[in-house]
Amino acid sequence: MKKLLIPALLSALLAACSTTPLPEDGGAPVESRSGSGTGVAPVTAGGVDASGLPRELTDPKSKLSQRSIYFDLDKYEVKDEYKDLVAAHAKYLTANKGFKVLLQGNTDERGSREYNLSLGQKRAEAVKRSLTLLGVKDDQIESVSLGEEKPKNPGHDEAAWAENRRADILYKAPDGRGEF
Amino acid sequence: MTRISRRVFLAFALLATGLAQAQLSIEITGAGANRIPVAIVDFPGDFAASRVVTTTVRNDLERSGLFKLVDHNGLVFDENAAINYADWKVKGADALAAGSIARSADGRMEARFRLYDTQKGVSLGGAAYVTSNTQLRAAGHRIADYIYEKLTGEKGVFSTRIAYVVKARGQFLLQIADSDGQNAATALTSIEPIISPVWSPDGNKLAYVSFEKKKPVIYVHSLSSGQRIIVANFKGSNSAPAWSPDGRKLAIVLSKDGNSQIYTVNADGSGLQRVTQSSGIDTEPRYSADGSSIFFTSDRGGSPQVYQVGVGGGDVRRVTFEGNYNVSPRPSPDGKSLAFISRREGRFQLAVMDLASRQVQILSDSNKDESPSFAPNSRMILIATETGGRGVLSAVSSDGRIKQRLSIAAGDVREPAWGPYYQ
């Protein structure tokens, strides 16, 4: 069950970070470790980042910076815990019709490479279907699969496999700049 | 399975440290129960050339697991020498080959040989092969093929080539080597994954899936020219190419209309036709030996299983039933059997089904078998597996008795594809 909890916890943590201010002291060990040590979090108002995408897509404090949807073994349904995340992306894409997304499905390393490619495709398709049901235009989305070929976690245990059963959302701005 | 107590290690010295030159080394881990005793004497003529040819012949025959080499006691004689059959019978050799190496008028090398049946005291025939000095091993493979066919009644596959993917130092190399792992050459180098190589029936081209465009796209690559064409780059994923037996078409998998479905396309990318219609995954198509139908993997019944459909689509027949994960179907070239990967108690193992009786036999005792590929004579199956956390190739005879392991020192080897007969 650990495998299911890790991505869930990660996303819960990230979600918490994006909606609540950092506590003055104690708690939030993740934030204090990753900070620069000055106690000052740099904030840029609006604009685009180095990838050419609006900050609201990439700022770690924005929900839209969360791009990964995790799946159970041999499964491809988008779990309830990711419905809000998918809805947030759908809202952005319907409001910004010039933006495109590439949905990349991934699987763990076990089993046939080609079957895994199809399983990753099914995961990307599931996310695509959720987005189109919420009004995103078909031509804004391409769903592809990387199968087991590009593991985010190169390990060979349950934790690594859970991290690799995933669909990622990549953005491209109307000017062609972005993540794919 | 009979284990050879003395493990034969044919670990060849690396000619260079560069990856492109890195050779597969072959370890024989099992052999047939009744191996034919055969002696290959040294050939007179150019000593170095003779050595290359006879060593190649002996290694090939021994590696096949079907022959036992009888010591030739350093004897040297050519294909025209008189044979003392009684002597060789006493030494235990049922067959004997002798030959010679000569330089032909145009500077190339000519290897001549003759094969004898020592029991009957007769010649079984012979041949002459002319090669360049750098291709002497090829002449050895041809001689070994001749001996193999005369003594077993089946065509030999020593002159064939294999393709496979090496992952090392963050790079993916699509390599071609002789069937003994020697002579490796890199056809494609990429920082993105390369999977699913398959040989065209004429042995001149490979179709494969490359991720160099950040998504799976199907290419056909002409080996001698290095010319590549994109056969399928539709919206979504493009994968799992398989050649029709006549080499004119490819069965492919596209997700342009949603989930993975099987299509056929001409080898130049024209004439796309959809074959399967399901709401789930249909993938890993392979033409039957007669080209009339396609075996494939589908999750339409709830778990991945092997199915069969006519090349024009239509009725679909389920082929595998045992277990809840049967994938990667590969019909044998003789049309008699079907190799596939079966998950049993969490282990992914090579299985073979006799297509007439539908009997299934598990051929491996490993955990992570993938991507089976039949030799053109249907006798051996090459698979990707794992040993000590590293990807290696393993060749298993279709009766499970003979096993060889091919590994590479510098990295992971995967995605094997056994090429067609020498043409």
Side-chain angles (χ1 to χ4, degrees):
Chain A
M1 283 304 96
K2 198 170 125 200
K3 61 181 170 164
L4 304 179
L5 282 174
I6 287 169
L9 280 173
L10 275 175
S11 60
L13 263 175
L14 286 168
C17 294
S18 65
T19 51
T20 55
L22 284 176
E24 292 293 329
D25 50 23
V30 175
E31 288 297 322
S32 61
R33 258 205 307 261
S34 61
S36 59
T38 61
V40 178
V43 173
T44 309
V48 297
D49 73 357
S51 69
L53 292 176
R55 296 260 175 216
E56 63 181 312
L57 290 175
T58 55
D59 184 342
K61 291 202 176 70
S62 164
K63 189 169 188 72
L64 292 171
S65 71
Q66 293 171 48
R67 308 296 191 75
S68 297
I69 291 145
Y70 295 87
F71 295 83
D72 291 341
L73 176 63
D74 284 346
K75 293 289 190 289
Y76 41 84
E77 293 87 20
V78 177
K79 292 189 279 186
D80 283 347
E81 63 195 271
Y82 297 107
K83 293 282 160 71
D84 286 353
L85 179 58
V86 171
H89 286 288
K91 192 177 167 195
Y92 187 84
L93 287 165
T94 49
N96 299 277
K97 292 197 177 356
F99 280 74
K100 289 185 178 350
V101 284
L102 182 67
L103 307 176
Q104 293 177 327
N106 297 272
T107 67
D108 68 39
E109 63 180 350
R110 294 170 294 174
S112 155
R113 288 178 189 277
E114 281 287 355
Y115 187 75
N116 281 341
L117 196 68
S118 292
L119 189 57
Q121 185 69 39
K122 219 167 170 177
R123 287 176 179 156
E125 274 309 306
V127 177
K128 178 180 176 178
R129 204 159 42 246
S130 301
L131 289 171
T132 51
L133 282 173
L134 293 167
V136 183
K137 286 194 303 174
D138 194 69
D139 63 8
Q140 284 178 275
I141 311 171
E142 180 171 9
S143 54
V144 302
S145 179
L146 304 178
E148 64 177 271
E149 307 305 328
K150 306 271 283 182
K152 189 174 176 181
N153 185 328
H156 306 286
D157 53 19
E158 284 293 342
W161 294 333
E163 208 175 322
N164 293 334
R165 290 192 295 268
R166 193 184 74 254
D168 289 331
I169 304 171
L170 280 67
Y171 272 86
K172 189 191 272 182
D175 64 5
R177 293 208 289 163
E179 296 159 336
F180 67 96
Chain B
M1 187 187 76
T2 313
R3 284 212 173 255
I4 298 182
S5 54
R6 164 184 65 99
R7 281 197 165 185
V8 185
F9 233 112
L10 307 177
F12 298 98
L14 295 182
L15 296 172
T17 51
L19 259 184
Q21 279 78 39
Q23 302 284 4
L24 288 163
S25 61
I26 298 190
E27 184 186 0
I28 302 166
T29 57
N34 298 302
R35 292 180 296 149
I36 302 168
V38 56
I40 315 291
V41 300
D42 292 332
F43 295 2
D46 183 300
F47 177 77
S50 165
R51 179 104 182 230
V52 171
V53 171
T54 54
T55 303
T56 303
V57 175
R58 290 184 193 118
N59 287 347
D60 279 351
L61 295 175
E62 176 133 58
R63 184 167 43 89
S64 74
L66 296 180
F67 300 92
K68 189 170 70 187
L69 287 175
V70 174
D71 191 352
H72 64 287
N73 302 116
L75 286 169
V76 185
F77 55 88
D78 69 26
E79 70 280 5
N80 295 317
I83 306 295
N84 186 334
Y85 292 111
D87 271 7
W88 290 100
K89 270 188 350 193
V90 169
K91 284 180 188 162
D94 288 357
L96 168 73
S100 60
I101 306 283
R103 199 174 288 277
S104 63
D106 61 2
R108 294 194 293 168
M109 305 300 278
E110 183 171 318
R112 296 174 162 275
F113 75 99
R114 192 173 292 281
L115 179 68
Y116 303 92
D117 178 332
T118 61
Q119 300 292 321
K120 293 191 182 131
V122 295
S123 162
L124 294 172
Y129 300 115
V130 179
T131 69
S132 67
N133 206 10
T134 56
Q135 294 287 309
L136 282 164
R137 298 182 66 262
H141 292 314
R142 300 287 299 280
I143 294 170
D145 278 336
Y146 187 99
I147 295 171
Y148 183 99
E149 184 166 357
K150 283 289 176 187
L151 299 182
T152 70
E154 292 172 356
K155 274 187 88 166
V157 293
F158 303 119
S159 299
T160 59
R161 294 191 291 174
I162 57 174
Y164 51 89
V165 175
V166 176
K167 185 186 179 193
R169 298 180 204 155
Q171 286 196 313
F172 296 86
L173 310 178
L174 176 61
Q175 295 200 319
I176 313 297
D178 293 346
S179 67
D180 58 0
Q182 295 288 290
N183 241 353
T186 301
L188 178 68
T189 304
S190 177
I191 55 165
E192 297 293 343
I194 303 163
I195 64 168
S196 307
V198 277
W199 291 84
S200 63
D202 64 9
N204 294 327
K205 301 188 191 94
L206 284 176
Y208 53 79
V209 177
S210 169
F211 288 67
E212 65 201 69
K213 293 185 185 297
K214 307 293 178 190
K215 61 177 247 184
V217 171
I218 302 171
Y219 293 78
V220 166
H221 184 137
S222 296
L223 292 172
S224 57
S225 67
Q227 189 199 14
R228 310 163 74 211
I229 62 161
I230 289 177
V231 172
N233 182 13
F234 293 92
K235 194 175 180 185
S237 299
N238 308 263
S239 68
W243 294 89
S244 63
D246 63 10
R248 287 157 64 174
K249 283 176 175 280
L250 290 161
I252 59 176
V253 171
L254 305 177
S255 68
K256 66 187 188 69
D257 299 315
N259 285 319
S260 301
Q261 293 288 295
I262 294 165
Y263 296 74
T264 55
V265 68
N266 295 326
D268 64 0
S270 66
L272 184 70
Q273 285 183 306
R274 187 161 173 174
V275 177
T276 60
Q277 309 273 350
S278 77
S279 59
I281 292 171
D282 289 343
T283 187
E284 301 191 303
R286 289 289 166 132
Y287 282 88
S288 61
D290 65 5
S292 70
S293 67
I294 291 172
F295 290 92
F296 65 102
T297 307
S298 176
D299 70 347
R300 60 185 62 202
S303 66
Q305 298 289 345
V306 177
Y307 293 79
Q308 193 176 8
V309 65
V311 286
D315 288 346
V316 171
R317 192 164 62 119
R318 184 165 166 176
V319 177
T320 57
F321 292 91
E322 293 171 60
N324 62 5
Y325 193 97
N326 294 304
V327 298
S328 309
R330 310 286 200 261
S332 63
D334 65 11
K336 290 179 181 164
S337 55
L338 180 80
F340 58 100
I341 301 297
S342 186
R343 184 173 68 197
R344 306 272 167 113
E345 291 163 2
R347 306 168 77 192
F348 296 89
Q349 299 182 310
L350 174 65
V352 170
M353 175 186 286
D354 180 279
L355 285 172
S357 68
R358 301 271 154 173
Q359 290 279 345
V360 175
Q361 191 190 353
I362 299 289
L363 292 190
S364 69
D365 48 14
S366 42
N367 298 324
K368 291 188 176 176
D369 294 346
E370 285 183 19
S371 308
S373 176
F374 269 102
N377 65 0
S378 300
R379 188 168 183 92
M380 299 291 286
I381 303 163
L382 195 56
I383 52 170
T385 188
E386 221 179 86
T387 301
R390 223 153 48 86
V392 299
L393 304 185
S394 178
V396 184
S397 61
S398 46
D399 62 6
R401 285 177 175 275
I402 300 162
K403 292 185 181 173
Q404 306 157 4
R405 188 154 56 231
L406 295 80
S407 55
I408 199 160
D412 273 323
V413 201
R414 72 273 288 271
E415 298 294 272
W418 206 317
Y421 284 123
Y422 174 85
Q423 288 167 341

